């Protein structure tokens, strides 16, 4: 089957659709940046975009190498601080959506960005939390974007950097947090979470995949409803904006 | 009071074993000239803190100046990871206390306000808090909100001996302007016993008075003011100069093994007399001029 889009573009478009107009969105690196700009330039012109270091609503004209690149801050409406963005906006409870990526996630949407291996034995240290733990703890909902691979979607992850539904059921609420992950978007499927057990649950599978392709490449068994629709492919206009406006040099989607 | 001095004198005021708050954020406004001078002077046993681990911390760890690091993770953005910090964590030679960005920022904020502790919703239900409790025992605690009866995690204030701030403009007294986002810098300066400013430009106090609303660090917090252009090189300084991609790539490659990093230090730190020698080493004014920021774009 031939498609006129690649899996990253579908993931960005699916991420963008999760954002409603007027929502406040905390954004991390990579694909979430593309998804957020895409939402802002299509159906959510009144959304507010936050970067942890103290940046609100930038309008970059060049792609950056990360949040520390002034290219990403260009034409911002506010340039301030961690305490301003992560404190008085996020911790205060004003962030509707947080976008997160990671090395590994488990069936409850707990995320690891800290290390791979055995934390008490031999391991490789990676990047750690940054603002990810703060966003996972205080946003009204989070959207996880990740490659679909059994080494990333694991039964047990090496380290819980950012909490999802912790050990399932009401364990997240018991730890003092509301919110939690609402979606996991991979390059094969979109998942939600079961309302009671909080286990990951297939919502839709991307065109060209079978349910076996999706479930067979995961380290745990997700909840699979009787009928699973295909994910809506990206629209022509979404693809044009991704390719021509947001990421013409393929720095995010490469 | 005139606090102008040289980088060498300002650095010499820091005893081995001090707690130093560093100003960088991955690859921007890092205290690189400061880190190189600390290594040259052989200062050891430092505790470093910053919200997100950056290139200044990585160089100091790689240069053997650090025993303990308090941060919320870190990287060099797309250029790579903090190889020296990661190696220290993996082989156990670096005592790393890992939080999140906001929890370190709240620890500085508590310190800046003179509060005994700061409640936070972050860290709960994660392995970060389990590891912090195992490693420090005393920097976090659980309390009951006296008004609602809810349980809260509380953080101990961070009170660094000295904060280093790379700023755009300051007067000789240390009233400082920072352009662009300030991440944890202002809370760091206010939580610390004193601050060393490394300014791109030193101007008259009259100039500061003309636009005093830009002043984010008051001079009363500052012990030394050093005027030093390109002090964040190879990282960027918003509206002054861009990052030097080739030099950061060289650094990332050099830090991949302790041996290759030793060669890097021999060339760029021990092999030059001071910051002016370093700037010549990386290409002098002719090269640095190519990094100058466009006034509209800021990079």
């Amino acid at each position: 089957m031939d498609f006129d889009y690649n899996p990253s573009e579908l993931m960005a478009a699916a991420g963008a659709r999760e954002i409603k107009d007027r929502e406040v969105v905390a954004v991390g690196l990579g694909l979430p940046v593309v998804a957020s700009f895409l939402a802002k330039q299509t159906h959510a012109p009144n959304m507010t975009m936050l970067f942890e270091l103290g940046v609100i609503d930038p309008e970059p004209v060049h792609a950056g190498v990360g949040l520390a690149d002034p290219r990403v801050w260009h034409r911002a409406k506010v340039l301030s601080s961690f305490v301003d963005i992560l404190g008085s906006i996020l911790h205060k409870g004003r962030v509707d959506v947080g976008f997160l990526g990671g090395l590994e996630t488990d069936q409850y949407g707990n995320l690891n960005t800290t290390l791979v291996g055995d934390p008490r034995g031999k391991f490789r240290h990676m990047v750690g939390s940054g603002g990810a733990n703060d966003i996972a703890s205080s946003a009204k909902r989070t959207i996880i974007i990740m490659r679909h691979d059994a080494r990333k979607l694991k039964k047990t992850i090496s380290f819980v950097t950012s909490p999802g539904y912790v050990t399932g059921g009401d364990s997240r609420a018991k730890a003092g947090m509301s919110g939690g992950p609402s979606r996991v978007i991979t390059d094969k499927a979109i998942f939600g979470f079961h309302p009671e057990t909080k286990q990951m649950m297939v919502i839709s599978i991307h065109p060209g995949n079978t349910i076996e392709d999706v479930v067979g490449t995961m380290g745990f068994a997700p909840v699979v409803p009787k009928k699973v629709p295909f994910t809506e492919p990206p629209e022509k206009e979404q693809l044009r904006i991704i390719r021509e406006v947001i990421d013409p040099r393929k720095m995010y989607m490469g | 009071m005139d606090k102008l001095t040289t980088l060498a004198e300002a650095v010499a005021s820091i005893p081995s074993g001090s707690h130093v708050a560093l100003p960088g954020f991955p690859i921007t406004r890092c205290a690189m000239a400061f880190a190189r001078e600390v290594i040259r002077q052989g200062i050891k046993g430092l505790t470093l803190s910053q919200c997100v681990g950056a290139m200044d911390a990585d160089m100091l760890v790689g240069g053997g100046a650090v025993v303990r690091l308090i941060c919320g993770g870190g990287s060099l953005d797309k250029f790579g990871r903090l190889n020296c910090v990661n190696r220290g964590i993996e082989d156990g030679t670096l005592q790393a206390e890992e939080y999140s960005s906001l929890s370190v920022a709240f620890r500085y904020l508590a310190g800046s306000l003179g509060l005994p502790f700061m409640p936070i919703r972050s860290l709960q239900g994660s392995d970060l808090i389990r590891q912090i409790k195992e490693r420090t025992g005393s920097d976090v605690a659980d309390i009951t909100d006296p008004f609602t009866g809810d349980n809260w995690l509380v953080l101990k204030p961070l009170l660094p001996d000295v904060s280093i701030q790379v700023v755009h403009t300051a007067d000789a007294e240390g009233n400082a302007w920072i352009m662009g986002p300030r991440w944890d810098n202002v809370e760091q300066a206010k939580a610390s016993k004193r601050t060393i400013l490394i300014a791109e430009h030193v101007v008259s106090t009259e100039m500061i008075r003309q636009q005093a609303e830009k002043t984010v660090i008051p001079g009363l917090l500052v012990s030394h003011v050093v005027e030093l252009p390109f002090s964040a090189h190879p990282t960027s300084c918003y509206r002054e100069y861009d990052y030097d991609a080739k030099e950061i790539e060289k650094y990332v490659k050099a830090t991949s093994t302790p041996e290759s990093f030793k060669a890097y230090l021999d060339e760029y730190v021990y092999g030059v007399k001071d910051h002016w020698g370093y700037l010549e080493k990386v290409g002098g004014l002719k090269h640095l001029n190519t990094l100058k920021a466009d006034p509209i774009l800021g990079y």
Side-chain angles (χ1 to χ4, degrees):
Chain A
M1 231 164 132
D2 284 337
F3 298 101
D4 60 353
Y5 56 86
N6 67 41
S8 296
E9 289 169 336
L10 182 144
M11 289 164 81
R17 283 197 196 103
E18 293 294 326
I19 300 170
K20 299 185 195 84
D21 199 18
R22 294 169 193 256
E23 285 194 316
V24 178
V25 183
V27 183
L29 287 176
L31 258 178
V33 175
V34 181
S36 303
F37 281 127
L38 183 58
K40 180 129 189 147
Q41 289 181 32
T42 52
H43 64 279
N46 301 300
M47 68 175 266
T48 301
M49 211 162 142
L50 310 174
F51 290 112
E52 65 170 71
L53 71 159
V55 178
I56 302 182
D57 277 347
E59 290 183 346
V61 291
H62 299 109
V65 295
L67 294 190
D69 190 331
R71 284 158 188 76
V72 174
W73 320 336
H74 186 59
R75 284 177 57 78
K77 292 173 186 160
V78 176
L79 293 173
S80 59
S81 66
F82 284 121
V83 167
D84 189 49
I85 303 292
L86 295 181
S88 56
I89 301 177
L90 175 72
H91 199 263
K92 165 78 175 168
R94 296 185 199 271
V95 170
D96 297 297
V97 185
F99 266 111
L100 298 169
L103 303 165
E104 301 175 333
T105 185
D106 63 17
Q107 63 176 332
Y108 299 117
N110 298 302
L111 273 171
N112 172 21
T113 49
T114 299
L115 58 85
V116 286
D118 175 2
R120 291 171 201 275
K122 217 173 155 45
F123 65 87
R124 282 202 68 198
H125 194 271
M126 311 302 264
V127 298
S129 165
N133 174 282
D134 306 307
I135 291 168
S137 302
S138 286
K140 289 180 193 160
R141 64 182 196 277
T142 53
I143 297 164
I144 297 167
I145 294 195
M146 196 175 280
R147 295 278 155 206
H148 197 104
D149 185 324
R151 284 170 304 175
K152 297 180 81 69
L153 302 163
K154 289 174 72 174
K155 192 160 177 55
T156 309
I157 59 178
S158 305
F159 193 95
V160 177
T161 313
S162 304
Y165 292 105
V166 193
T167 54
D170 61 354
S171 58
R172 182 180 167 92
K174 279 192 174 147
M177 294 172 284
S178 52
S182 63
R183 290 285 182 269
V184 179
I185 299 171
T186 76
D187 47 318
K188 289 188 192 296
I190 298 176
F191 300 86
F193 290 85
H194 188 275
E196 268 115 54
T197 66
K198 304 295 183 191
Q199 285 170 297
M200 223 183 267
M201 184 168 73
V202 184
I203 298 278
S204 68
I205 59 176
H206 303 341
N209 292 284
T210 64
I211 193 74
E212 289 73 31
D213 293 337
V214 170
V215 176
T217 46
M218 297 174 68
F220 56 85
V223 180
V224 182
K226 279 209 181 82
K227 278 188 82 174
V228 179
F230 281 113
T231 309
E232 202 181 314
E235 292 153 23
K236 275 209 163 57
E237 180 61 4
Q238 287 181 313
L239 289 171
R240 186 192 68 78
I241 292 171
I242 293 172
R243 291 169 190 171
E244 293 176 18
V245 183
I246 301 172
D247 195 23
R249 286 197 293 164
K250 296 201 182 302
M251 289 200 54
Y252 299 114
M253 316 286 285
Chain B
M1 195 172 90
D2 186 338
K3 299 166 187 171
L4 280 174
T5 184
T6 62
L7 180 64
E9 276 195 26
V11 167
S13 74
I14 301 173
S16 285
S18 298
H19 174 180
V20 179
L22 288 177
F25 180 77
I27 51 159
T28 184
R29 250 175 350 89
C30 291
M32 299 309 295
F34 169 82
R36 290 184 287 261
E37 182 62 22
V38 166
I39 296 168
R40 262 195 297 272
Q41 291 194 15
I43 296 168
K44 303 278 182 202
L46 298 177
T47 290
L48 301 180
S49 64
Q50 61 189 168
C51 281
V52 176
M55 194 171 178
D56 40 14
D58 196 64
M59 174 169 260
L60 284 166
V61 170
V66 184
V67 292
R68 181 172 172 231
L69 174 67
I70 300 163
C71 71
S75 77
L76 298 176
D77 274 353
K78 272 208 172 162
F79 289 103
R81 302 200 188 102
L82 301 177
N83 288 334
C84 301
V85 167
N86 283 354
R87 196 155 42 238
I89 295 174
E90 288 160 15
D91 66 20
T93 53
L94 178 67
Q95 186 188 337
E97 290 156 30
E98 274 192 82
Y99 292 78
S100 62
S101 299
L102 184 65
S103 39
V104 179
F106 270 14
R107 292 193 67 189
Y108 287 131
L109 184 62
S112 77
L113 296 170
L115 292 174
F117 54 79
M118 181 69 90
I120 192 164
R121 197 183 300 108
S122 302
L123 304 175
Q124 301 282 21
S126 74
D127 285 331
L128 291 171
I129 192 64
R130 182 186 52 71
Q131 204 175 60
I132 293 161
K133 282 180 175 169
E134 279 172 16
R135 288 189 184 169
T136 76
S138 61
D139 290 347
V140 294
D142 299 291
I143 62 158
T144 305
D145 178 338
F147 302 107
T148 65
D150 292 346
N151 293 318
W152 277 90
L153 178 72
V154 293
L155 306 168
K156 196 175 176 178
L158 273 176
L159 303 166
D161 296 306
V162 57
S163 93
I164 311 304
Q165 298 301 334
V166 172
V167 303
H168 294 74
T169 303
D171 65 5
E173 194 178 273
N175 299 294
W177 297 348
I178 295 175
M179 314 270 274
R182 300 175 292 280
W183 37 98
D184 49 5
N185 292 168
V186 175
E187 289 77 19
Q188 288 180 318
K190 292 178 176 173
S192 300
K193 289 195 188 96
R194 65 187 178 98
T195 288
I196 293 173
L197 291 185
I198 302 168
E200 196 66 22
H201 309 283
V202 169
V203 299
S204 67
T205 298
E206 188 52 37
M207 177 74 189
I208 296 287
R209 287 186 193 275
Q210 292 292 323
Q211 297 178 60
E213 65 278 2
K214 283 192 189 168
T215 306
V216 291
I217 298 172
L220 67 97
L221 307 177
V222 174
S223 63
H224 299 73
V225 180
V226 179
E227 184 176 30
L228 209 60
F230 287 97
S231 75
H233 183 277
T235 71
S236 71
C237 184
Y238 183 57
R239 294 198 183 280
E240 294 285 346
Y241 48 89
D242 203 356
Y243 51 81
D244 190 334
K246 278 206 176 111
E247 289 297 326
I248 296 179
E249 281 161 9
K250 210 181 279 178
Y251 176 90
V252 171
K253 197 157 171 250
T255 52
S256 62
T257 70
E259 296 71 34
S260 54
F261 191 54
K262 193 182 167 298
Y264 178 95
L265 290 176
D266 284 341
E267 189 176 356
Y268 289 92
V269 178
Y270 298 116
V272 295
K273 188 169 147 270
D274 54 18
H275 182 60
W276 303 105
Y278 168 83
L279 293 181
E280 287 305 317
K281 175 90 211 162
V282 296
L285 190 54
K286 188 176 178 186
H287 171 64
L288 295 169
N289 201 43
T290 66
L291 302 173
K292 283 267 186 181
D294 176 278
I296 301 291
L297 294 170
Y299 51 84

